[in-house]
């Protein structure tokens, strides 16, 4: 079933993937458990909160606009804007105009997150996550899944082989 509102759901001006809207609406956009996250992102060590609404995603992602204003913070967190950059913005940098957070560190100050990265596709964006653990740089962004739908399948959030969620 396709409802007419899904086409216009946006976070920071970016169209939210239909699959994410379905998962949110059906209450299936939940943390899949540490083993599933560790399997997909073995470098990632902070506990995560999966953001439970497009409003939360929008609110958490506002920090991108704040941090990009400060050159030192933008450099530290590898945030850039292709519109003002001297060339294309590629990983390990995040283009703040073409991304938003879908999960953030559970503890304030950990400053780590998972984001949808719309540089590869507007319909099924790449999923990237911060890495402060394996690089000589203090902070980089790296690919978790080439598409959001692949990310969902890898974490088994799509219902395939899913165990009933503990309530």
């Amino acid at each position: 079933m396709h409802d007419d509102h899904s086409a216009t759901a946006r976070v920071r001006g970016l169209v939210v993937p239909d699959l994410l809207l379905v998962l949110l609406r059906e209450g299936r956009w939940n943390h899949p458990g540490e083993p599933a996250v560790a399997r997909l992102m073995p470098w990632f060590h902070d506990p995560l909160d999966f953001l439970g609404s497009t409003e939360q995603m929008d609110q958490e992602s506002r920090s991108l606009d704040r941090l990009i204003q400060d050159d030192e913070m933008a450099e530290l967190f590898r945030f850039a804007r292709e519109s003002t950059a001297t060339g294309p913005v590629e990983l390990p940098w995040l283009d703040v105009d073409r991304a938003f957070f879908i999960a953030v560190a559970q503890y304030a100050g950990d400053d780590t997150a998972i984001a949808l990265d719309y540089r590869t596709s507007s319909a099924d964006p790449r999923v990237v996550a911060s890495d402060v653990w394996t690089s000589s740089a203090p902070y980089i962004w790296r690919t978790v899944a080439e598409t959001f739908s692949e990310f969902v399948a890898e974490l088994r959030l799509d219902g395939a082989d899913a165990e009933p969620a503990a309530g």
Side-chain angles (χ1 to χ4, degrees):
M1 189 169 105
H2 188 78
D3 71 37
D4 294 334
H5 301 296
S6 64
T8 56
R10 292 177 184 266
V11 171
R12 305 185 77 248
L14 301 163
V15 176
V16 178
D18 286 342
L19 178 57
L20 180 52
L21 294 173
V22 168
L23 294 170
L24 286 165
R25 189 171 54 239
E26 294 178 358
R28 290 190 290 143
W29 179 247
N30 298 309
H31 193 298
E34 293 303 332
V37 172
R39 196 172 56 245
L40 191 56
M41 305 185 317
W43 76 88
F44 204 97
H45 297 287
D46 289 341
L48 283 164
D49 279 334
F50 277 49
L51 300 171
S53 68
T54 54
E55 293 77 19
Q56 275 187 305
M57 292 171 192
D58 197 58
Q59 186 176 0
E60 288 290 339
S61 299
R62 286 185 197 147
S63 63
L64 294 169
D65 293 320
R66 225 179 18 259
L67 293 167
I68 193 77
Q69 302 297 323
D70 179 326
D71 291 345
E72 204 171 289
M73 291 305 243
E75 178 81 21
L76 172 70
F77 290 115
R78 300 286 187 266
F79 292 152
R81 279 202 155 103
E82 191 160 296
S83 59
T84 58
T86 53
V89 175
E90 301 292 344
L91 292 175
W93 292 77
L94 189 69
D95 184 339
V96 299
D97 290 333
R98 302 189 59 198
F100 66 83
F101 297 144
I102 56 174
V104 296
Q106 216 169 62
Y107 304 112
D110 282 351
D111 294 328
T112 53
I114 300 174
L116 292 184
D117 180 356
Y118 284 75
R119 289 175 288 188
T120 55
S121 167
S122 55
D124 199 2
R126 170 173 60 189
V127 179
V128 296
S130 48
D131 180 356
V132 297
W133 302 279
T134 67
S135 169
S136 58
Y139 203 96
I140 63 168
W141 290 91
R142 57 191 280 191
T143 301
V144 176
E146 290 302 326
T147 62
F148 178 69
S149 51
E150 179 188 313
F151 177 77
V152 168
E154 287 285 334
L155 292 179
R156 298 184 176 97
L157 297 173
D158 54 3
D161 310 313
E163 298 289 319

